[in-house]
Amino acid sequence: MKISILKSFLNESIQHVSKAISSRTTIPILSGIKLDVNRQGVTLTASDTDISIQSFIPAEDEKQTIVQVDQPGSVVLPAKFFVEIIKKLPSSEVQMEVKENFQTFISAGATEIQMVGLDPEEFPVLPSIDDSQSVSVPGDLLKNMIKQTVFSISTHETTPILTGVLWNLSEGELKFTATDRHRLATRSAKLDGVEEMKFNNIVIAGKTLNELSKIVPDQNTLVDIVVADNQVLFKIDRVLFYSRILDGIYPDTTRIIPTTHKTELILDTKKLSESIDRAYLLSKEEKTNIVRMQTMEHGGIEISSSSSELGKVREELELAEFKGEPLKISFNSKYMLDVLKVVESEQLMIAFTGVMSPIILKPLDDSRSMYIILPYRTTN
């Protein structure tokens, strides 16, 4: 293998695929990035068995030659060193040559590097997926749906299925659900042209979705999604992102969503967020994160928290609307702040059915999002 390649294209592809490299792998070959070179260009692949990412660099595009291929071939290079060294090379063009026993020589400008490569034949083959049936989702929408749900996943490996986000597609509506049993986030979106397609109980690990989100462009680029038996493939421009589907049945969360409310509040999202953030400072000191909210006789609400060492914080907020019974409730302020960070609506509806019933949060101008937080039972 012998090539000359523009550094910017090589570096971008390396940054994409390196997101699949695990620092804890017990299989030495998976600590590397595989390069496959043919006359069409260079394909980079990395995998940790749960996710695999492949990025293709074409030999040329409309404007310029990107890769000059003198000799096709393959090699696996140690990712940790390869990622850093390419980034720091002084020249805009990089020469690479693989010789006997996969010894790899990299040069750029006056810099020359020799790396010990590995046999590409030992690298695992990527899953074979029939991509004739795919769903296209705008990249910015997909990133938003991930951001607005993934924070509610469980971080405890004791229940692996809850460390992922549940995907369902039915009647043209894609829905994400995430819960850790103390809180729940759902976000749905209507997709065009997929009314006939359907899938359910597709659960993708939250950490995988966070890595996917980093690769998806901010602009309105379409991401093609292909669901197979135990894998999901995401196609983003020249990048292929494979993810394993988590095993198990996701719990039925519809049963915990109240259908009637005894109290409904509508208030300013930003003011509520700032108020709870201040109260969180004291609740954090107590390591309980408990903040109290109660309705006032004049129609406002009081937000308060206390610390045995530092003191108390209390403030009142005006409500845009108040319906139903008076209420005093305690909740995990960090969970509430996690929701408020991703709500894009200026006003928020908070609904309750009782002191120990779930707290419902709905952005006022976004009917496709809903959040639930379970309250705390406190002595006062």
Side-chain angles (χ1 to χ4, degrees):
M1 172 186 139
K2 188 177 180 183
I3 61 168
S4 177
I5 184 169
L6 295 180
K7 175 189 158 183
S8 59
F9 284 85
L10 178 59
N11 186 51
E12 184 184 17
S13 277
I14 290 172
Q15 297 304 319
H16 286 330
V17 301
S18 63
K19 291 175 174 56
I21 301 287
S22 169
S23 55
R24 300 191 304 272
T25 183
T26 54
I27 308 167
I29 197 78
L30 292 184
S31 63
I33 293 173
K34 184 186 179 191
L35 284 81
D36 288 300
V37 175
N38 58 29
R39 297 295 174 189
Q40 282 70 50
V42 181
T43 302
L44 284 78
T45 310
S47 177
D48 71 352
T49 66
D50 283 335
I51 65 172
S52 302
I53 304 174
Q54 194 168 75
S55 177
F56 177 66
I57 307 169
E60 54 186 52
D61 62 12
E62 297 166 3
K63 304 172 190 170
Q64 61 189 334
T65 298
I66 300 166
V67 187
Q68 186 177 319
V69 179
D70 294 323
Q71 189 181 333
S74 300
V75 69
V76 176
L77 297 175
K80 197 172 178 183
F81 184 59
F82 188 46
V83 168
E84 289 301 317
I85 201 66
I86 296 298
K87 204 190 315 181
K88 293 173 180 176
L89 287 176
S91 168
S92 62
E93 200 165 305
V94 179
Q95 284 76 42
M96 298 180 67
E97 185 174 4
V98 179
K99 297 189 176 180
E100 279 185 33
N101 299 319
F102 305 105
Q103 290 293 316
T104 303
F105 296 85
I106 300 172
S107 60
T111 304
E112 292 185 358
I113 297 138
Q114 183 178 343
M115 292 178 73
V116 178
L118 297 169
D119 186 350
E121 292 296 320
E122 294 177 17
F123 203 86
V125 177
L126 289 186
S128 176
I129 292 180
D130 176 12
D131 59 0
S132 57
Q133 292 278 326
S134 68
V135 177
S136 294
V137 181
D140 51 356
L141 173 62
L142 180 60
K143 283 174 80 108
N144 223 13
M145 290 182 72
I146 292 170
K147 182 181 82 170
Q148 292 177 340
T149 52
V150 76
F151 65 87
S152 284
I153 64 164
S154 173
T155 54
H156 299 294
E157 298 289 339
T158 47
T159 318
I161 198 75
L162 294 184
T163 63
V165 175
L166 172 69
W167 293 40
N168 285 317
L169 176 66
S170 180
E171 296 178 353
E173 184 171 72
L174 178 64
K175 184 177 182 182
F176 288 8
T177 304
T179 184
D180 62 1
R181 291 206 173 98
H182 301 287
R183 54 181 168 173
L184 178 141
T186 68
R187 171 74 158 91
S188 59
K190 201 76 179 169
L191 303 180
D192 295 327
V194 295
E195 285 74 14
E196 301 301 313
M197 290 194 65
K198 185 176 182 179
F199 57 70
N200 53 44
N201 204 54
I202 303 300
V203 186
I204 304 172
K207 62 180 182 181
T208 297
L209 292 174
N210 281 327
E211 295 302 337
L212 172 68
S213 196
K214 293 172 189 173
I215 292 175
V216 175
D218 287 326
Q219 62 267 34
N220 210 5
T221 308
L222 284 178
V223 178
D224 293 329
I225 303 169
V226 186
V227 177
D229 290 340
N230 63 346
Q231 292 275 342
V232 179
L233 167 61
F234 300 90
K235 295 179 174 182
I236 312 143
D237 291 335
R238 297 191 183 109
V239 177
L240 301 180
F241 188 112
Y242 297 81
S243 168
R244 186 174 66 84
I245 295 171
L246 295 182
D247 295 327
I249 302 296
Y250 204 84
D252 180 8
T253 56
T254 56
R255 290 176 299 171
I256 67 165
I257 301 171
T259 52
T260 59
H261 310 137
K262 290 182 180 176
T263 307
E264 284 186 17
L265 316 174
I266 294 176
L267 67 171
D268 184 286
T269 307
K270 187 170 184 283
K271 287 179 181 174
L272 177 65
S273 180
E274 289 170 350
S275 176
I276 291 177
D277 203 13
R278 287 187 283 269
Y280 169 64
L281 290 174
L282 257 69
S283 68
K284 187 172 64 171
E285 286 297 315
E286 287 288 285
K287 298 185 169 58
T288 60
N289 294 338
I290 291 177
V291 164
R292 295 168 183 82
M293 178 191 290
Q294 66 177 352
T295 52
M296 311 287 287
E297 284 185 15
H298 59 72
I301 59 163
E302 178 187 281
I303 306 286
S304 64
S305 69
S306 59
S307 162
S308 54
E309 292 182 8
L310 293 177
K312 297 179 180 179
V313 61
R314 174 192 170 279
E315 60 184 278
E316 291 183 22
L317 285 180
E318 290 181 6
L319 293 175
E321 197 175 304
F322 171 38
K323 288 193 293 190
E325 301 173 5
L327 195 77
K328 183 177 182 180
I329 203 159
S330 301
F331 54 85
N332 184 320
S333 52
K334 181 174 184 314
Y335 288 176
M336 184 70 82
L337 286 171
D338 284 345
V339 171
L340 295 171
K341 281 175 193 169
V342 301
V343 169
E344 294 174 351
S345 171
E346 289 184 6
Q347 288 190 312
L348 183 73
M349 187 196 83
I350 305 180
F352 313 88
T353 52
V355 176
M356 288 313 296
S357 296
I359 303 167
I360 310 286
L361 299 105
K362 289 183 179 178
L364 214 59
D365 60 4
D366 178 11
S367 62
R368 296 189 178 276
S369 299
M370 185 185 66
Y371 306 94
I372 291 178
I373 299 171
L374 294 184
Y376 275 130
R377 187 184 297 279
T378 55
T379 52
N380 57 335

